Amino acid sequence: MTSTPLPKPRFSWDRVVQWSMVVLTVALVVFPAWPIVYQSFMSKPLYDKERAFTLGNYTNILTDGKFWHILAYTAAFAVATMILALVFGVFLAVLINRTNMPLRKFYSNLVTIPYYVSPLVLAFAWMEMYGPQGFGTIVIRNLKLPTWELYSFWGIVVVSTMYYIPNTFLYATSSLALMDPQLESAARIGGATPFRTIWNITIPLLRPAILYSALLTLVSALELLSIPLVLGSSVGINTLSTYIYLLGIIGVSKDYGAIAVVAIFVVLLVTILVFIQGKLTAMERRFVTVGGKATRPKLLDLGRSKGIASAVVGLYILLGIILPLACIVLESFVPFLSPFANPFKMLTLKNYVGIFTSPAFRQSVTNSVLISILAGAVGILFMALAAITAYRSSFKGRSLVKYFSLYPRAFPGIIVGIGFLWAFLLIPGIGSIRNTILAMSIAFIMRYLPLGFSAVSPAVIQISDELDRAARVGGATWLGTVRHILLPILRPALLSGYIILAISFLKEYAVALFLFSEGSRVIGTTMIELWKQGGAEPVAALSAIQMVITAFLIFGSTKLLGVKLHE
């Protein structure tokens, strides 16, 4: 009796694609990281052939009193921003979603505006409205009322808080939507006042959202560049990010070793915070209150206080969001903005003509749009495939894909830019693309890999694995299942993730600071260049252009395509 030989397994593209995702994801993260680590141990710049191994860069930084002062200042700034953003974000979320405050639905959309505006634009807007020579400051001064100093620690904290409040607001709003309102109703039946119900029932149940958004804000504030740079550099205020920027771009004799050591220190610090954030996220199930029976929450009656609450929220939106942004838009249409001259009698398109007739400025707008649209599309497809590989395959390397897709959260934008620049310079054969929009697009994708991955992953996890099994029983390969079943189902999540990614790419500036050249400027880098030259009106015009493009993306996706950018 002869045994029949087993048929040789057919070649499968499944493993090729899955291994490719591992290699590409790991390479995308390691590519900008290794030159920074290498440089930190070198006595001279990486391009210098006389460089040698040294620990001097570490000893110099660790014994530098200025570094520790900047570190303490950065920590104080980040903690203060986090606390204020949490307090105001949760306060707004509860008032808008759980009370009968008038105009709450109208306010709900206005509160999230800073979420879609670049922090660079927000910094310029507040500078033009509330700076020492700002429109609002001059009006207040002429009324003999006390003014405040925007170019100060608390000025930087307040503007940064305005930028991060929407993060806490959105997390708290999503958590409130899932919360069982019967708990609050029981408290009210038991005789608790609206304030006591909110304080003893609602706020404690928001703990997961509060903790998660607290660490998210803390991490983001530690790496924030634009607001401390615009509002603090002129008065000698530095954070770790502005310190790296000054060492790497502004400084005459650049200390590359110091840049590398400070960058590594920041990455390690943020890595620890991201790790803690992940642990806290895993504990969220202890606070789940969603029952099987859906009920609509009964709004808490604020009584006579509801009018006061509505006025306070309206004043916050008017003074903190509407007036600064309106001020910078108005400035883009006038030769100069001053309360002593009627701006509506000086309206002109001269600033916009200057932008679109200047090849460099026009190119920066074009580059931003191209990167936003094209790199965003490539990025979301790559991130979706990474999420599918991590969560919908039996591939042994899927945990690596998940880990390296989320780890770039620990890399501030300016450090990503430095790493990519050095890597392009060091690796033979690719140096020619270092100052192109292709290089910038790759760096942007790496920077926002966690954002796109996290945007698609929940939708991937929610799809029943029965569909996968049914397809495999029918003879489909893993790749065929992905193409014909998973991707079509994921289309809404992909579109939503794409719009979020496109807006993020449009706002990005920190990554590009070390990568742009004459023909590869983006809107953010051009605004910083003009700001350093004192060109307030062209900066205002570029800010307005960026806001219009962002508004077009939001309106087109939500109203015409029905995309949900957040819950």
Side-chain angles (χ1 to χ4, degrees), residues 335-466:
F336 64 93
L337 186 63
S338 170
F340 301 115
N342 186 348
F344 297 103
K345 292 183 178 180
M346 301 187 295
L347 295 179
T348 177
L349 294 176
K350 183 179 178 181
N351 296 320
Y352 291 95
V353 172
I355 294 294
F356 288 107
T357 54
S358 167
F361 297 163
R362 186 174 65 247
Q363 188 67 46
S364 69
V365 176
T366 303
N367 288 341
S368 290
V369 173
L370 286 176
I371 292 174
S372 176
I373 294 173
L374 300 181
V378 173
I380 196 62
L381 289 176
F382 174 79
M383 297 163 193
L385 196 52
I388 291 171
T389 303
Y391 293 110
R392 300 308 286 257
S393 75
S394 57
F395 179 53
K396 292 182 179 179
R398 63 186 184 276
S399 59
L400 282 175
V401 175
K402 179 182 177 181
Y403 179 81
F404 279 93
S405 293
L406 293 174
Y407 190 65
R409 288 181 297 178
F411 284 78
I414 192 168
I415 294 177
V416 173
I418 294 172
F420 269 93
L421 173 65
W422 289 352
F424 281 127
L425 288 172
L426 285 175
I427 299 177
I430 62 173
S432 60
I433 70 169
R434 71 180 183 273
N435 295 130
T436 64
I437 61 173
L438 174 60
M440 216 172 288
S441 298
I442 297 171
F444 281 22
I445 290 173
M446 182 270 181
R447 170 83 168 104
Y448 290 99
L449 179 56
L451 178 65
F453 184 87
S454 300
V456 177
S457 293
V460 173
I461 296 171
Q462 288 174 1
I463 299 174
S464 173
D465 58 2
E466 293 178 358

Side-chain angles (χ1 to χ4, degrees), residues 142-368:
N142 288 334
L143 294 174
K144 307 301 181 181
L145 297 174
T147 60
W148 73 311
E149 182 55 61
L150 181 63
Y151 299 159
S152 64
F153 173 82
W154 285 111
I156 297 171
V157 167
V158 168
V159 180
S160 302
T161 297
M162 291 299 304
Y163 180 65
Y164 289 119
I165 281 174
N167 288 334
T168 301
F169 174 80
L170 291 172
Y171 277 112
T173 296
S174 297
S175 185
L176 286 168
L178 296 173
M179 191 183 299
D180 188 352
Q182 295 183 28
L183 298 173
E184 294 164 317
S185 298
R188 297 290 287 129
I189 293 172
T193 63
F195 176 78
R196 189 169 183 179
T197 301
I198 291 171
W199 184 256
N200 292 333
I201 303 296
T202 309
I203 301 297
L205 290 175
L206 286 175
R207 191 180 303 174
I210 292 173
L211 290 175
Y212 189 86
S213 58
L215 280 170
L216 179 65
T217 302
L218 186 63
V219 168
S220 301
L222 283 173
E223 65 181 41
L224 183 63
L225 172 64
S226 56
I227 296 174
L229 178 66
V230 172
L231 303 181
S233 61
S234 62
V235 291
I237 295 176
N238 283 313
T239 62
L240 286 173
S241 291
T242 59
Y243 183 53
I244 294 174
Y245 174 79
L246 295 175
L247 284 175
I249 292 182
I250 303 299
V252 177
S253 56
K254 298 176 176 60
D255 189 344
Y256 294 101
I259 294 172
V261 173
V262 175
I264 289 174
F265 191 87
V266 172
V267 170
L268 290 177
L269 180 61
V270 176
T271 297
I272 294 171
L273 293 174
V274 169
F275 175 78
I276 296 172
Q277 187 183 47
K279 290 295 183 183
L280 291 174
T281 303
M283 297 168 60
E284 285 188 8
R285 291 297 301 174
R286 294 191 302 133
F287 296 89
V288 171
T289 65
V290 180
K293 188 176 180 180
T295 57
R296 291 187 62 183
K298 184 178 179 180
L299 298 179
L300 297 174
D301 185 5
L302 296 179
R304 296 179 180 178
S305 301
K306 64 182 180 181
I308 298 175
S310 182
V312 169
V313 174
L315 194 64
Y316 155 80
I317 293 173
L318 178 66
L319 297 179
I321 301 174
I322 302 300
L323 286 182
L325 294 180
C327 181
I328 200 168
V329 171
L330 181 60
E331 185 171 22
S332 71
F333 287 102
V334 295
F336 64 93
L337 186 63
S338 170
F340 301 115
N342 186 348
F344 297 103
K345 292 183 178 180
M346 301 187 295
L347 295 179
T348 177
L349 294 176
K350 183 179 178 181
N351 296 320
Y352 291 95
V353 172
I355 294 294
F356 288 107
T357 54
S358 167
F361 297 163
R362 186 174 65 247
Q363 188 67 46
S364 69
V365 176
T366 303
N367 288 341
S368 290

Side-chain angles (χ1 to χ4, degrees), residues 26 37 81 212 216 232 311 474 524 560:
V26 173
V37 177
T81 300
Y212 189 86
L216 179 65
L560 301 181

